[in-house]
Amino acid sequence: KMKTVVYEDVNGLDFINEFEDIFPLHYEELCVTKEYPWEPNYEAYRFYGENNMLRTITCRVDGELIGYIIFIIHPHLHYKSCLTATEDIYYVKKEYRKGRTGITLFKYAEEALRLRGVNRIVTHTKVHLDVGRLFEYLGFKQTDKVYTKML
């Protein structure tokens, strides 16, 4: 039986040390630009955190970090009255992807962002691990396709 999952809304960078253990799992499974090493720009995260533009939603079991979503919050460049939370990264450890852990994580995030005054959430999914059905279930609609090219 799965233990209780606790969800938290974190403002700032208190999570960084814990993420050092889970980020390599995330990188290995989901990174599509392995030409570059995993090298988080903590200075940028710190800047966003200090300017109240960074929001992290975490989930834990018995205190252990098992998943997260990080958002950058800003007025949209095209619609400055639309406070937008752009998802930076999200991850749930494989052994906790059963049941409703991911669904609850995103629902919790939505409510936390709503309370923060956010009007719009923008998120994405990887082609090789497509979770679009999750987003559709949560009421998101597909609006764009993203292409990348390494130079």
Side-chain angles (χ1 to χ4, degrees):
K1 181 177 172 166
M2 185 180 285
K3 298 177 182 178
T4 302
V5 180
V6 176
Y7 299 87
E8 301 172 300
D9 179 8
V10 180
N11 188 21
L13 296 172
D14 298 337
F15 60 85
I16 291 296
N17 291 338
E18 291 181 277
F19 278 59
E20 293 294 332
D21 294 333
I22 197 172
F23 275 168
L25 300 172
H26 183 151
Y27 175 83
E28 193 57 41
E29 181 179 5
L30 294 168
C31 179
V32 294
T33 53
K34 289 196 172 122
E35 299 90 344
Y36 292 93
W38 179 251
E39 186 180 22
N41 186 343
Y42 291 125
E43 294 79 20
Y45 281 108
R46 196 164 283 109
F47 171 83
Y48 290 132
E50 290 169 354
N51 288 282
N52 202 28
M53 298 170 63
L54 182 70
R55 209 64 182 185
T56 302
I57 308 301
T58 63
C59 55
R60 301 170 184 279
V61 171
D62 293 336
E64 175 195 354
L65 182 66
I66 62 156
Y68 51 82
I69 314 171
I70 299 177
F71 295 96
I72 306 300
I73 300 174
H74 53 89
H76 195 279
L77 291 174
H78 304 164
Y79 320 101
K80 69 180 183 178
S81 63
C82 183
L83 190 59
T84 301
T86 303
E87 168 261 311
D88 173 45
I89 55 176
Y90 58 88
Y91 185 75
V92 172
K93 285 183 173 181
K94 285 183 181 183
E95 61 267 31
Y96 294 99
R97 293 181 192 165
K98 305 170 193 86
R100 299 181 61 83
T101 304
I103 291 169
T104 305
L105 177 62
F106 273 94
K107 283 185 172 187
Y108 185 94
E110 183 177 330
E111 186 55 28
L113 293 169
R114 184 185 326 279
L115 291 172
R116 164 77 171 70
V118 167
N119 306 107
R120 180 183 187 199
I121 300 171
V122 177
T123 191
H124 69 282
T125 187
K126 298 291 187 191
V127 172
H128 73 279
L129 190 61
D130 189 337
V131 295
R133 287 182 50 207
L134 167 69
F135 294 131
E136 290 170 6
Y137 174 82
L138 293 170
F140 287 79
K141 65 179 181 178
Q142 184 180 13
T143 57
D144 298 348
K145 286 188 178 185
V146 176
Y147 294 84
T148 62
K149 182 177 184 178
M150 301 305 293
L151 302 178

